[in-house]
Amino acid sequence: MISFENDYIQGAHPEILRRLAESNMEPLSGYGSDPYCERAREKIRRACGCENAEVYFLVGGTQTNAVVIDAMTKGYEGVVAADSGHIAIHEAGAVEFTGHKVLTVPGDNGKINGNELRQYLQGFYQDENHEHMVFPGMVYISHPTEFGTLYTKEELKQISEVCREYEIPLYLDGARLGYGLMSSGTDVSLSDVAEFCDAFYIGGTKVGALCGEAVVFPGKAPKHFLTSVKQHGALLAKGRLLGIQFDTLFTDELYFRISRHAIEMAEKLKEVLRDKRLPFAWESPTNQQFVIMDDRKMEQLREKVVFSFWEKADQNHTVVRFATSWGTKEEEIEELRNLL
Amino acid sequence: MISFENDYIQGAHPEILRRLAESNMEPLSGYGSDPYCERAREKIRRACGCENAEVYFLVGGTQTNAVVIDAMTKGYEGVVAADSGHIAIHEAGAVEFTGHKVLTVPGDNGKINGNELRQYLQGFYQDENHEHMVFPGMVYISHPTEFGTLYTKEELKQISEVCREYEIPLYLDGARLGYGLMSSGTDVSLSDVAEFCDAFYIGGTKVGALCGEAVVFPGKAPKHFLTSVKQHGALLAKGRLLGIQFDTLFTDELYFRISRHAIEMAEKLKEVLRDKRLPFAWESPTNQQFVIMDDRKMEQLREKVVFSFWEKADQNHTVVRFATSWGTKEEEIEELRNLL
Amino acid sequence: MISFENDYIQGAHPEILRRLAESNMEPLSGYGSDPYCERAREKIRRACGCENAEVYFLVGGTQTNAVVIDAMTKGYEGVVAADSGHIAIHEAGAVEFTGHKVLTVPGDNGKINGNELRQYLQGFYQDENHEHMVFPGMVYISHPTEFGTLYTKEELKQISEVCREYEIPLYLDGARLGYGLMSSGTDVSLSDVAEFCDAFYIGGTKVGALCGEAVVFPGKAPKHFLTSVKQHGALLAKGRLLGIQFDTLFTDELYFRISRHAIEMAEKLKEVLRDKRLPFAWESPTNQQFVIMDDRKMEQLREKVVFSFWEKADQNHTVVRFATSWGTKEEEIEELRNLL
Amino acid sequence: MISFENDYIQGAHPEILRRLAESNMEPLSGYGSDPYCERAREKIRRACGCENAEVYFLVGGTQTNAVVIDAMTKGYEGVVAADSGHIAIHEAGAVEFTGHKVLTVPGDNGKINGNELRQYLQGFYQDENHEHMVFPGMVYISHPTEFGTLYTKEELKQISEVCREYEIPLYLDGARLGYGLMSSGTDVSLSDVAEFCDAFYIGGTKVGALCGEAVVFPGKAPKHFLTSVKQHGALLAKGRLLGIQFDTLFTDELYFRISRHAIEMAEKLKEVLRDKRLPFAWESPTNQQFVIMDDRKMEQLREKVVFSFWEKADQNHTVVRFATSWGTKEEEIEELRNLL
């Protein structure tokens, strides 16, 4: 059985396991105060081209989104997101649980658009009743999006300008950031992200780590952010587990190398899908590919390959997702070719 | 430098690392649905003598407390705890963050007493204004407590009886449960805990795991508990990381063996402290030992040994804590003897 | 200056003021335990044809919605509402503040449709990821809606059947319930509302009271509802203020009589608007009328008449709202005719 | 039956009812934007000697406490209060409901002490674990306290100085502020309150109004406070109801005159209680008097007089409370003398 189910089906990149084992018995202080965390922070700052960035390590993506959004918005503010945004749909209401509404704007294959964002914000402040409404206090985007799509540098810049005009922070969910950065489908670099966003996270869970997301505040972190993290139940006692993983991922560009591998595998996967004449539901330049399958064919394939249901296309067809990752092997793609 | 700073200064028991590495490239589904999680659940059920228990894996202790308490109490209810309880002091208000008040009763070296609990509950319902007050909707205890102390089976039974009389669940925080179970200072067994409590967790973070706590509901879990876990940002994508760890800990009694080791080391540590005439702040039968040190001596010792500040005893003395763990070596205790 | 700004521009029906004055110096216990509250409850039960209903008095509409929704949903549940629903837009996120997401479905001039609701719920449970999503735990409708539109008995019954099929409560926001009940645009009676809904409120603020909404649970109220009300800061000390008002409103059918007056005034208003060839933005059978005005005309009229901006229709036209109420006088409508 | 049950047993001061009736049919805009609210704000500013104060009107005390505390603290902060504080005990956890912990310090008959407060705050910041604890983000006091006791100007100043030293706001719950200001038991004036506090409220509910509390921010109100009020379900649609009441109370010093009356009645009441040799549980210089009664005598008296149970004193004695108010008549006190 081969699996393209998602990008977190395997453990960690072996180098991470090796370094966890190597450092295992060293006594270290907890909560992110150990030297591995410090080294990882330093390397991340350098990779972001942002010497003064504050960096924190959290365990998972939903958690990170909820903590960052709660810490950066005022009580009466909500967060603007695409209607398909992960926080709007698939996080079990973790943001609302903290008291903040997710304010949705229509997305275009997962992306929001600077002009539409400006119109939304203008419309809000022009509405005579806006004091009875939830203030837009932050903008949330993801890169890649839920649809595997990417912003261009120009698009990201436009959104950022709107946010700065309205003095609200821009936050980028980078659960799959590596795959976005290594795709040829965008000119956005990590330092662009750091330049245009007020907060973002570099996803580890989906890019080679056992768990862990590195939150980066290019400017200043919210005051007493560590306490907010603790209050949300998100502070890991053995911070070393996160520090060592990110230290490893940002040593010798491992994060970028394994991301590039996933993109290369995705390119090969696209070739296979194209050759087999499976229509793409939409164009994705990253590690997730979405195709429309005949339901009978889908059921047959499921006996030998794991992949994900996305949504029904019509009565007899389904949009399905195949994902590559740092751990995908070329042989697996060849095997898929044979099975299709 | 030797360290008795706490019981989470090291990584994981080597057997855990070995099994993580061994299973690393197997593709597995996420969120706790993999076979390792299932096997770990099965072994935990057996260890608890509780075939129908529902078992969930979370990442950390504060998180576990907040999720379980929130899921098991109604909106207008709070949770009763000793005034020294971890949830009352050292979790940055994570319980209040979910909207529930921590209702404190005076603790006796961290323990609450069945009779006093009954008086508290009686008093509450006799108070003519109690509809204007926070209803006691759950009782929280920890075993071992913050002070390293333990309940006897009889004490635990009494608390449980009061809870059942008032129809509120009893929840036991077992961050250090292994150390409690292996101490000769109590007759409480794991199946006693399962019998007397409505929910409890078996701590992994402080007992040999990289991270992870196993929440056990001997009866039924709260409805849609997985969604509550997700909503609190506490659902780990790679559930395997927790499943494999608990599967390992509950194979060949590893959890109990390493806990017993920590207790043996604590016994030797107590001998050293006694021999060195350091007065104990209170008697602890578990892996944390609390002694009163002269401040100058404390400062000298700090140059060579890591241990924790607990509280000031008087102007020139401090209560300090030395903790052993699964990873403590006998040589380290001998070295401490030489340094004292 | 005449005003059609909204239906809460005036104080209370004079009979209410008279009875407040009459009972003013009687010493009464607080928090809704006085005999006026009890009498009002009894009369409301009778008006609803629902002898065992539990009735509570709260102060305002947003407050009532937030308290009832929070008390009737579990932590992991949200509330389904039309995308134009008051709770979705104009309550400053009061529902999200309590941790619950407002799950929107497209509304048709403010109404939701039983079939679309069933599709939404079916779709939710068919979605393989639904455990990672907010469970629909309640359905919220308003009658009249934000658009002044009304459900028919058949439509209400259908929604109710879907809710019962999925075992989730149906809650009706009756901020303007009187105006809905007295309109000829629907066959829904108060006892129908009590039959089809699990909770609803009879609006006082907009129908003749100084403040106050009567929450009716035709079956059982949520356990310890009074404490939930207090916890939300919604328990009025001098419950008499609400009891006396609702006792008055439900004596000699005052509530219905003054509602009917508002509807009669709305009919006359419609005639005037029709005669003046102002196109209706949509058909409303209740006390709020929405017409499209040329912006210059609108600005002129504003010098002599108060009415509300609703939304821009196009570059030179605006949808505006004229509202009648229990206090509207026929002369005012004639004056409007002269001014148009 | 005469009643000393509490200070909100009657409706409103007749002058308030008169003015409500007088203005009843005037059409006015809602939510506090009407001229009565504006006039009331202006008069309150003048009474406080604080021209730039921002003034908001809310409906009740628990609501006001929850909204103000939530709006003035950051997410990771709690509020320091005496252990007997109303927010700590008798508000059904309304503060915790907003996510903030009530941090208690021992009170002395309801009062906190500047020195002990400083020690608490010093202790907090000296605790090496304080980042894992709830930050003290505000100080809550009440004047009069739950025990009817009062701060002196010097005591209030000391608390204020500590707050300013630690840069946290001081908030005064003035549910019974009028009775405190008119008592001879303190030298604190309304302008002192405005000078020493960052926020406070002037209680209406217990001092002559049907409902309503006037929140005063001597400096600046929290940003978008109106939206926070709405979000908490605390924004009254017919703001006129509050505006007219406070306008009346602050016209010709009505608020102070009726408060003085209650204090005079309390003085007479004390004489009666003293004459009847009922021991005072503690000395209260305000409108609430607490005496210890033999339980049999208490039961007898209850047949003719309403008063409140406070707490058991010993097996056969109870502390009971007699409250006077703006509405208490001298005859009632004479009648009590005859009945005792």
Side-chain angles (χ1 to χ4, degrees):
Chain A
M1 197 83 157
I2 51 173
S3 175
F4 299 92
E5 189 182 1
N6 58 50
D7 35 20
Y8 45 98
I9 50 173
Q10 288 159 322
H13 188 277
E15 179 63 9
I16 283 178
L17 288 189
R18 196 185 65 72
R19 294 206 48 209
L20 283 174
E22 193 177 86
S23 61
N24 190 50
M25 296 307 288
E26 279 179 48
L28 297 173
S29 284
Y31 308 113
S33 62
D34 64 89
Y36 293 99
C37 283
E38 199 36 52
R39 232 169 290 158
R41 283 187 198 103
E42 197 44 47
K43 289 175 184 170
I44 287 171
R45 280 185 204 108
R46 235 173 297 140
C48 296
C50 201
E51 272 180 46
N52 300 313
E54 295 193 42
V55 182
Y56 287 82
F57 301 110
L58 275 81
V59 175
T62 294
Q63 179 184 84
T64 301
N65 288 336
V67 176
V68 171
I69 291 168
D70 190 34
M72 294 187 83
T73 49
K74 300 214 177 62
Y76 54 85
E77 293 176 336
V79 56
V80 181
D83 48 13
S84 57
H86 205 255
I87 57 168
I89 310 277
H90 286 113
E91 301 195 348
V95 170
E96 287 84 1
F97 180 67
T98 72
H100 302 283
K101 192 182 182 74
V102 178
L103 302 160
T104 53
V105 291
D108 176 14
N109 281 347
K111 291 163 63 178
I112 63 175
N113 171 290
N115 286 332
E116 287 173 19
L117 177 63
R118 179 177 279 108
Q119 271 166 37
Y120 175 85
L121 295 169
Q122 274 177 350
F124 176 83
Y125 284 100
Q126 280 167 3
D127 189 322
E128 291 178 12
N129 293 315
H130 74 264
E131 281 195 303
H132 294 242
M133 294 162 68
V134 177
F135 278 72
M138 185 183 225
V139 172
Y140 163 97
I141 55 174
S142 53
H143 182 84
T145 68
E146 297 297 292
F147 292 77
T149 52
L150 291 169
Y151 290 92
T152 63
K153 186 169 167 178
E154 188 52 34
E155 288 169 339
L156 189 59
K157 189 172 164 228
Q158 276 178 24
I159 294 173
S160 180
E161 282 171 359
V162 176
C163 288
R164 282 165 196 184
E165 193 180 321
Y166 281 88
E167 297 182 352
I168 55 178
L170 175 59
Y171 168 57
L172 183 147
D173 176 336
R176 298 183 166 98
L177 188 55
Y179 303 138
L181 296 173
M182 290 300 105
S183 164
S184 60
T186 182
D187 52 350
V188 169
S189 69
L190 187 52
S191 54
D192 293 333
V193 171
E195 181 185 340
F196 294 127
C197 299
D198 302 284
F200 63 97
Y201 79 86
I202 302 172
T205 300
K206 288 167 178 161
V207 191
L210 283 168
C211 63
E213 324 294 333
V215 182
V216 182
F217 300 103
K220 284 207 79 61
K223 204 174 166 189
H224 295 308
F225 187 65
L226 190 96
T227 304
S228 295
V229 172
K230 177 85 181 176
Q231 182 193 33
H232 287 73
L235 187 60
L236 194 64
K238 296 188 180 174
R240 68 194 297 151
L241 171 59
L242 303 172
I244 291 164
Q245 292 190 92
F246 276 96
D247 185 21
T248 307
L249 287 169
F250 282 83
T251 298
D252 297 337
E253 309 225 296
L254 181 61
Y255 188 75
F256 302 99
R257 285 187 285 123
I258 65 178
S259 295
R260 192 177 305 122
H261 170 78
I263 293 298
E264 284 165 9
M265 292 301 103
E267 290 305 322
K268 287 192 195 298
L269 172 68
K270 279 167 97 161
E271 238 178 78
V272 169
L273 298 169
R274 228 180 273 122
D275 291 353
K276 297 296 177 175
R277 306 207 183 284
L278 287 171
F280 289 90
W282 54 84
E283 162 62 18
S284 157
T286 56
N287 71 313
Q288 303 180 84
Q289 296 302 322
F290 304 82
V291 288
I292 302 167
M293 285 186 88
D294 177 279
D295 286 353
R296 261 178 312 172
K297 181 156 192 164
M298 180 181 77
E299 289 311 326
Q300 278 172 13
L301 191 66
R302 278 205 162 163
E303 288 165 30
K304 308 234 160 137
V305 182
V306 190
F307 52 92
S308 293
F309 167 92
W310 193 256
E311 62 184 5
K312 289 297 296 176
D314 62 38
Q315 243 189 319
N316 307 310
H317 294 80
T318 300
V319 178
V320 299
R321 182 187 69 178
F322 292 83
T324 65
S325 80
W326 59 275
T328 306
K329 291 197 194 111
E330 198 158 348
E331 303 91 87
E332 294 169 321
I333 293 174
E334 284 315 303
E335 199 176 332
L336 178 66
R337 182 189 290 274
N338 298 334
L339 292 167
L340 274 171
Chain B
M1 196 83 156
I2 50 172
S3 175
F4 299 92
E5 188 182 1
N6 58 50
D7 35 21
Y8 44 98
I9 50 172
Q10 287 159 322
H13 189 277
E15 179 63 8
I16 283 178
L17 288 189
R18 196 185 65 73
R19 294 207 47 210
L20 284 175
E22 193 177 86
S23 61
N24 190 49
M25 296 308 287
E26 279 178 48
L28 296 174
S29 284
Y31 307 113
S33 62
D34 64 88
Y36 294 100
C37 283
E38 200 38 52
R39 232 170 288 158
R41 284 187 197 104
E42 197 44 47
K43 288 176 183 169
I44 286 171
R45 281 186 204 109
R46 235 174 295 142
C48 295
C50 202
E51 273 180 45
N52 299 313
E54 296 193 40
V55 182
Y56 287 82
F57 301 109
L58 276 80
V59 174
T62 294
Q63 178 184 83
T64 302
N65 289 335
V67 177
V68 171
I69 291 168
D70 190 34
M72 294 187 83
T73 49
K74 301 216 176 61
Y76 55 84
E77 293 176 337
V79 56
V80 181
D83 49 11
S84 58
H86 205 253
I87 57 168
I89 309 278
H90 286 113
E91 301 195 349
V95 170
E96 288 84 1
F97 179 67
T98 71
H100 302 282
K101 191 181 182 75
V102 179
L103 302 160
T104 53
V105 292
D108 176 15
N109 280 347
K111 291 163 63 178
I112 64 175
N113 171 290
N115 286 332
E116 286 172 19
L117 177 63
R118 180 177 278 108
Q119 272 167 36
Y120 174 86
L121 294 169
Q122 274 177 348
F124 176 83
Y125 285 100
Q126 281 167 3
D127 189 322
E128 292 177 12
N129 292 316
H130 73 265
E131 282 196 301
H132 294 241
M133 295 162 68
V134 177
F135 277 73
M138 186 184 222
V139 172
Y140 164 98
I141 56 175
S142 54
H143 181 84
T145 68
E146 297 297 292
F147 293 78
T149 54
L150 292 169
Y151 290 93
T152 64
K153 186 170 167 178
E154 188 52 34
E155 289 168 338
L156 189 59
K157 190 172 164 227
Q158 276 178 23
I159 294 173
S160 180
E161 282 171 358
V162 176
C163 288
R164 283 164 195 185
E165 194 180 321
Y166 281 89
E167 298 183 350
I168 54 177
L170 175 59
Y171 169 57
L172 183 147
D173 176 336
R176 297 183 166 100
L177 187 55
Y179 304 138
L181 295 173
M182 291 301 103
S183 164
S184 61
T186 181
D187 53 351
V188 169
S189 69
L190 186 52
S191 54
D192 293 335
V193 171
E195 182 185 341
F196 294 128
C197 298
D198 300 286
F200 63 96
Y201 79 86
I202 301 172
T205 300
K206 287 166 179 163
V207 191
L210 283 168
C211 63
E213 326 294 331
V215 182
V216 183
F217 300 101
K220 284 206 80 60
K223 204 173 164 190
H224 294 309
F225 187 65
L226 189 95
T227 305
S228 295
V229 171
K230 178 84 181 176
Q231 181 192 34
H232 286 72
L235 186 60
L236 195 63
K238 296 189 180 173
R240 68 195 295 151
L241 172 58
L242 303 173
I244 290 165
Q245 292 190 90
F246 275 97
D247 185 23
T248 307
L249 287 169
F250 281 83
T251 298
D252 298 336
E253 309 225 296
L254 181 63
Y255 188 75
F256 302 99
R257 285 187 284 123
I258 66 179
S259 295
R260 192 175 307 122
H261 171 76
I263 293 299
E264 284 166 10
M265 292 301 101
E267 289 306 320
K268 287 192 194 297
L269 172 67
K270 279 167 96 161
E271 239 178 78
V272 169
L273 298 169
R274 228 180 275 121
D275 291 354
K276 297 296 177 174
R277 305 206 184 286
L278 287 171
F280 289 90
W282 54 83
E283 163 60 17
S284 157
T286 56
N287 72 312
Q288 303 180 82
Q289 298 301 322
F290 304 82
V291 289
I292 302 167
M293 286 189 86
D294 177 278
D295 286 351
R296 260 178 313 172
K297 180 155 194 164
M298 180 181 75
E299 289 309 327
Q300 279 171 13
L301 190 65
R302 279 205 161 163
E303 288 165 30
K304 308 236 162 134
V305 182
V306 190
F307 52 93
S308 295
F309 168 92
W310 195 255
E311 60 185 8
K312 288 296 298 175
D314 64 37
Q315 244 189 319
N316 307 311
H317 294 81
T318 301
V319 178
V320 298
R321 182 188 70 176
F322 292 83
T324 65
S325 80
W326 59 275
T328 307
K329 292 200 193 106
E330 198 157 349
E331 304 90 87
E332 293 170 321
I333 293 175
E334 283 315 304
E335 200 176 331
L336 177 66
R337 181 190 290 276
N338 297 335
L339 292 167
L340 274 171
Chain C
M1 196 81 156
I2 50 172
S3 176
F4 299 93
E5 188 182 2
N6 57 49
D7 35 21
Y8 45 97
I9 51 174
Q10 287 160 323
H13 188 276
E15 179 64 9
I16 283 178
L17 287 189
R18 197 187 63 72
R19 296 209 44 212
L20 283 175
E22 194 179 85
S23 62
N24 190 49
M25 296 309 286
E26 280 177 47
L28 297 173
S29 284
Y31 308 112
S33 62
D34 64 89
Y36 293 100
C37 283
E38 199 37 52
R39 231 170 289 158
R41 281 186 200 106
E42 197 44 46
K43 289 174 183 168
I44 286 172
R45 280 185 204 109
R46 234 174 298 143
C48 295
C50 201
E51 273 181 45
N52 299 313
E54 296 192 42
V55 182
Y56 288 82
F57 301 110
L58 275 81
V59 175
T62 293
Q63 178 183 83
T64 301
N65 288 335
V67 176
V68 172
I69 292 168
D70 190 34
M72 294 187 82
T73 49
K74 301 216 174 61
Y76 55 86
E77 293 176 336
V79 56
V80 182
D83 48 12
S84 57
H86 205 254
I87 57 167
I89 309 279
H90 286 114
E91 301 194 349
V95 171
E96 287 84 1
F97 180 66
T98 72
H100 301 283
K101 189 181 184 76
V102 178
L103 301 160
T104 52
V105 291
D108 176 16
N109 281 346
K111 292 164 62 177
I112 63 175
N113 171 290
N115 286 332
E116 286 173 18
L117 177 62
R118 179 177 279 109
Q119 271 166 37
Y120 175 85
L121 295 169
Q122 274 177 348
F124 177 82
Y125 285 101
Q126 281 168 2
D127 189 323
E128 291 177 12
N129 293 315
H130 73 264
E131 283 196 300
H132 294 243
M133 296 162 67
V134 176
F135 277 73
M138 185 183 224
V139 172
Y140 164 98
I141 55 176
S142 53
H143 181 86
T145 67
E146 297 297 292
F147 292 77
T149 53
L150 291 169
Y151 290 92
T152 64
K153 185 169 168 179
E154 187 53 34
E155 289 169 339
L156 189 58
K157 190 173 164 228
Q158 276 177 24
I159 294 173
S160 180
E161 282 171 358
V162 175
C163 288
R164 282 164 197 185
E165 194 181 318
Y166 282 88
E167 297 183 351
I168 55 178
L170 175 59
Y171 168 59
L172 184 147
D173 175 336
R176 298 181 165 101
L177 188 55
Y179 303 138
L181 295 172
M182 291 301 104
S183 164
S184 61
T186 182
D187 52 352
V188 169
S189 69
L190 187 51
S191 53
D192 294 334
V193 172
E195 182 186 340
F196 294 128
C197 298
D198 302 285
F200 63 97
Y201 79 87
I202 301 171
T205 300
K206 288 166 178 163
V207 191
L210 283 168
C211 62
E213 325 295 333
V215 183
V216 182
F217 299 101
K220 285 207 77 62
K223 204 174 165 189
H224 295 309
F225 187 66
L226 190 96
T227 305
S228 295
V229 172
K230 178 84 181 177
Q231 181 192 33
H232 287 72
L235 187 62
L236 195 64
K238 296 188 180 173
R240 68 196 296 153
L241 172 58
L242 303 173
I244 291 164
Q245 291 191 90
F246 276 96
D247 186 22
T248 308
L249 287 170
F250 281 84
T251 298
D252 299 336
E253 309 224 298
L254 182 61
Y255 188 75
F256 302 99
R257 287 186 284 123
I258 64 178
S259 295
R260 192 176 306 121
H261 170 77
I263 293 298
E264 285 165 10
M265 291 301 102
E267 290 305 321
K268 288 192 194 297
L269 171 66
K270 279 167 96 161
E271 239 177 78
V272 169
L273 299 169
R274 228 181 273 122
D275 292 353
K276 297 295 179 177
R277 305 208 184 283
L278 286 171
F280 289 90
W282 54 84
E283 162 63 16
S284 157
T286 57
N287 72 314
Q288 302 180 83
Q289 297 301 323
F290 304 83
V291 290
I292 301 167
M293 287 189 84
D294 177 279
D295 287 351
R296 262 177 311 172
K297 180 156 194 163
M298 178 181 78
E299 289 310 326
Q300 279 172 13
L301 191 66
R302 280 206 162 162
E303 286 165 30
K304 307 232 161 137
V305 182
V306 189
F307 51 93
S308 294
F309 167 91
W310 194 255
E311 60 185 9
K312 288 296 294 175
D314 62 37
Q315 244 190 320
N316 306 311
H317 294 82
T318 301
V319 177
V320 300
R321 183 188 68 177
F322 292 83
T324 67
S325 79
W326 60 274
T328 306
K329 291 198 194 109
E330 197 156 349
E331 303 91 88
E332 293 169 322
I333 292 173
E334 284 314 305
E335 200 176 333
L336 178 65
R337 182 189 290 275
N338 298 335
L339 292 166
L340 274 171
Chain D
M1 195 82 155
I2 50 172
S3 175
F4 299 92
E5 188 183 1
N6 57 50
D7 35 21
Y8 45 97
I9 51 173
Q10 288 159 322
H13 189 276
E15 179 63 8
I16 283 178
L17 288 188
R18 196 186 64 71
R19 294 207 46 212
L20 283 175
E22 192 178 86
S23 61
N24 190 48
M25 295 310 286
E26 280 178 47
L28 296 174
S29 284
Y31 308 113
S33 61
D34 65 88
Y36 293 99
C37 283
E38 199 37 53
R39 232 170 289 157
R41 284 188 198 104
E42 197 44 46
K43 289 175 183 168
I44 286 172
R45 282 186 203 107
R46 235 174 296 140
C48 295
C50 201
E51 273 181 46
N52 299 312
E54 296 193 41
V55 182
Y56 288 82
F57 301 109
L58 276 79
V59 175
T62 294
Q63 179 183 84
T64 301
N65 289 335
V67 176
V68 172
I69 291 168
D70 190 35
M72 294 186 83
T73 49
K74 300 215 176 63
Y76 55 84
E77 293 177 336
V79 56
V80 181
D83 48 12
S84 58
H86 205 254
I87 56 167
I89 309 279
H90 286 113
E91 301 194 350
V95 171
E96 287 84 2
F97 180 67
T98 71
H100 301 283
K101 190 181 182 76
V102 178
L103 301 160
T104 53
V105 293
D108 177 15
N109 281 347
K111 292 164 62 178
I112 63 175
N113 171 290
N115 286 333
E116 287 172 19
L117 177 63
R118 180 176 278 108
Q119 271 166 37
Y120 174 85
L121 294 170
Q122 274 176 348
F124 176 82
Y125 285 100
Q126 281 167 3
D127 189 322
E128 292 177 12
N129 292 315
H130 74 264
E131 283 196 301
H132 294 241
M133 295 163 68
V134 176
F135 277 73
M138 186 184 224
V139 172
Y140 164 98
I141 57 175
S142 53
H143 181 85
T145 67
E146 296 297 292
F147 293 78
T149 52
L150 291 169
Y151 290 92
T152 64
K153 186 169 167 177
E154 188 53 33
E155 289 169 339
L156 189 58
K157 189 171 165 229
Q158 275 177 25
I159 293 172
S160 180
E161 283 171 357
V162 175
C163 288
R164 283 164 195 185
E165 194 181 320
Y166 281 88
E167 297 182 350
I168 55 178
L170 175 59
Y171 168 57
L172 183 147
D173 176 336
R176 298 183 165 99
L177 186 56
Y179 303 138
L181 295 172
M182 290 300 104
S183 164
S184 61
T186 181
D187 52 352
V188 169
S189 69
L190 187 52
S191 55
D192 294 334
V193 172
E195 182 185 341
F196 295 128
C197 298
D198 302 285
F200 62 97
Y201 80 85
I202 302 172
T205 300
K206 288 167 179 164
V207 192
L210 284 167
C211 63
E213 326 294 332
V215 183
V216 183
F217 300 102
K220 285 207 79 60
K223 203 175 165 189
H224 295 308
F225 187 64
L226 189 96
T227 304
S228 295
V229 171
K230 177 84 180 177
Q231 181 193 33
H232 287 73
L235 186 62
L236 196 64
K238 296 189 180 173
R240 67 195 296 152
L241 172 58
L242 303 173
I244 291 164
Q245 293 190 89
F246 275 96
D247 185 23
T248 308
L249 287 169
F250 281 84
T251 298
D252 297 337
E253 309 223 298
L254 182 62
Y255 188 76
F256 302 99
R257 286 186 284 121
I258 65 179
S259 295
R260 192 177 304 120
H261 171 77
I263 292 298
E264 285 165 11
M265 291 301 103
E267 289 305 322
K268 287 192 194 298
L269 172 68
K270 279 167 97 160
E271 241 178 76
V272 171
L273 298 169
R274 226 180 275 121
D275 291 354
K276 297 296 179 175
R277 306 209 182 285
L278 286 171
F280 288 91
W282 55 84
E283 163 62 15
S284 157
T286 56
N287 71 313
Q288 303 179 85
Q289 297 300 323
F290 304 83
V291 289
I292 300 166
M293 286 189 86
D294 176 280
D295 287 351
R296 261 176 314 172
K297 182 157 193 163
M298 179 181 77
E299 289 310 326
Q300 280 172 14
L301 191 66
R302 279 204 162 163
E303 287 165 30
K304 309 233 162 138
V305 182
V306 191
F307 51 92
S308 295
F309 167 91
W310 195 254
E311 62 185 7
K312 289 296 297 175
D314 62 37
Q315 244 190 318
N316 306 311
H317 294 82
T318 301
V319 178
V320 299
R321 183 188 70 176
F322 292 84
T324 66
S325 80
W326 59 275
T328 306
K329 292 197 193 107
E330 197 156 350
E331 304 91 87
E332 293 169 322
I333 292 174
E334 283 316 303
E335 199 176 331
L336 177 66
R337 179 189 292 275
N338 297 335
L339 292 167
L340 273 171

